[in-house]
Amino acid sequence: TRSFGIALGSNLGDREANLQRGLAMLIERTQPIAVLAGGVYETEPVDCEPGTQAFLNSVIELEATCTPQEMHAHLQAIEQAMGRALTDGLPVDSSAVRALMGRQHAWVSASWPQPPTAQAFAGLGAMYLEHPEFTARYEAIAPGLAEYMAEAMRSYAEAELR
């Protein structure tokens, strides 16, 4: 078995209930042998729109048979495939990109308390452009990927989640 930590946070709706649901989903998906939960902390939003609600945050330590790398590998595969789609010039509304965005939506759904709505999924994509660390992460994979991801997520949300 391996031990690893995962940070949880919420600034929408019932923040405490969201953290509890996130923990329950994490336990359900990883089937850990042991769980250690840290305290819950409220933090002010950073690099967010004015009026954004404060975040509730916690850190969970899991002991499980999977590795953090295995949990993260699925997301990395989506990101790399999106980089190739961009490089290959695929439109954001192509069937191949829509399929990747379906995988992205499923991955996000697994880590959020509930599947993101069309607005939330498109908003997450917009955050990739607005938040410098997300932008840098995607731009390191392929120049222009942050904007491409945002547009693909918006397109998927409009076509598949409404």
Side-chain angles (χ1 to χ4, degrees):
T1 63
R2 304 170 197 275
S3 292
F4 54 95
I6 295 179
L8 301 174
S10 176
N11 74 324
L12 300 175
D14 185 340
R15 300 171 303 158
E16 189 171 344
N18 290 341
L19 288 179
Q20 291 170 352
R21 281 193 302 271
L23 176 58
M25 290 176 72
L26 189 59
I27 289 170
E28 178 184 323
R29 283 174 172 72
T30 62
Q31 298 293 305
I33 296 162
V35 178
L36 297 172
V40 175
Y41 304 92
E42 186 171 66
T43 59
E44 292 302 314
V46 175
D47 294 331
C48 295
E49 303 249 342
T52 298
Q53 184 175 3
F55 285 80
L56 282 186
N57 303 292
S58 187
V59 176
I60 310 302
E61 183 178 347
L62 301 174
E63 188 172 317
T65 56
C66 65
T67 67
Q69 293 79 11
E70 290 166 338
M71 291 183 70
H72 195 66
H74 183 68
L75 175 63
Q76 291 175 323
I78 295 167
E79 293 169 342
Q80 292 299 318
M82 284 297 291
R84 286 189 300 277
L86 170 64
T87 302
D88 292 345
L90 295 180
V92 296
D93 61 354
S94 69
S95 60
V97 173
R98 284 266 165 81
L100 288 169
M101 288 299 95
R103 289 173 53 197
Q104 175 82 359
H105 186 264
W107 188 89
V108 171
S109 295
S111 59
W112 284 22
Q114 59 197 22
T117 63
Q119 182 180 4
F121 193 63
L124 178 62
M127 186 184 70
Y128 295 162
L129 286 173
E130 296 165 2
H131 195 286
E133 290 177 16
F134 276 112
T135 301
R137 172 187 172 85
Y138 288 115
E139 294 302 301
I141 296 170
L145 184 57
E147 183 173 352
Y148 188 72
M149 286 286 291
E151 284 300 309
M153 291 172 78
R154 182 197 52 74
S155 177
Y156 180 86
E158 288 176 358
E160 305 292 333
L161 302 177
R162 294 205 186 260

